[in-house]
Amino acid sequence: MATGFVLDPTARRADDITSPGPDAGSLIGKRVGFRVDRMWRAWDWISELWAEKFREAGAEVSFWRSAGRSGDEGERCEREYKAFLESIDVAVVGLANCGSCTGWTVRDAITAANTGLPTTAIATANFETFAHEIAARGGRSGLRVHVLPYPLNEQLKEDVLPIGEAHFLPVLQTMGASLTAREQAA
């Protein structure tokens, strides 16, 4: 008699980290790093908007733009990203807005989270489920994912900026962050 095996497609990794990791806490005096890419102008606009608000709250902000991920360029990119992560206290990683960019966004977010940084991945609504699935497959099912509406990149800047404004306080909540100085001044 032959033996049959049934594989469980819902199985999870035994080493999965279900925790979202540390909260960002008060952003005053912290170095917040935005990971952007070459594809999504809407993410450039929103990250610049949020960066200005973080600066107003007393944070330092820097950006790192991903590039090619293979060959010599990929190796250079990997070294630069590692140096970027070593220079920041909080990581905001976007944008998951297509299949491959969701993979790279979540990969970079997991890399940041695995260094111990408070990390939030940014995804659009169409790629939220995929982002969570990839995070779980990467061993970080608890990864923080903040969701922006879809479509986003196809809109004009004057339509995107109000979306960024509307998501500013919610993304702080996702990050576990606060703007203590601004809250005290109000």
Side-chain angles (χ1 to χ4, degrees), residues 72-164:
D72 292 342
E73 184 178 1
E75 291 176 16
R76 179 189 53 80
C77 193
E78 193 73 22
R79 286 190 304 271
E80 288 179 4
Y81 189 58
K82 181 180 178 187
F84 173 70
L85 293 178
E86 291 171 354
S87 73
I88 61 175
D89 300 310
V90 177
V92 182
V93 182
L95 177 70
N97 192 45
C98 73
S100 65
C101 67
T102 299
W104 284 110
T105 295
V106 171
R107 178 194 180 275
D108 287 347
I110 289 173
T111 300
N114 285 346
T115 68
L117 289 173
T119 302
T120 301
I122 308 296
T124 57
N126 271 19
F127 295 92
E128 177 183 10
T129 301
F130 189 40
H132 285 293
E133 182 61 33
I134 291 176
R137 288 176 187 249
R140 300 261 345 178
S141 66
L143 183 71
R144 298 171 196 265
V145 177
H146 184 79
V147 180
L148 297 172
Y150 182 91
L152 186 65
N153 204 58
E154 293 75 10
Q155 298 190 46
L156 299 174
K157 187 173 185 178
E158 58 262 29
D159 299 319
V160 169
L161 290 179
I163 292 169

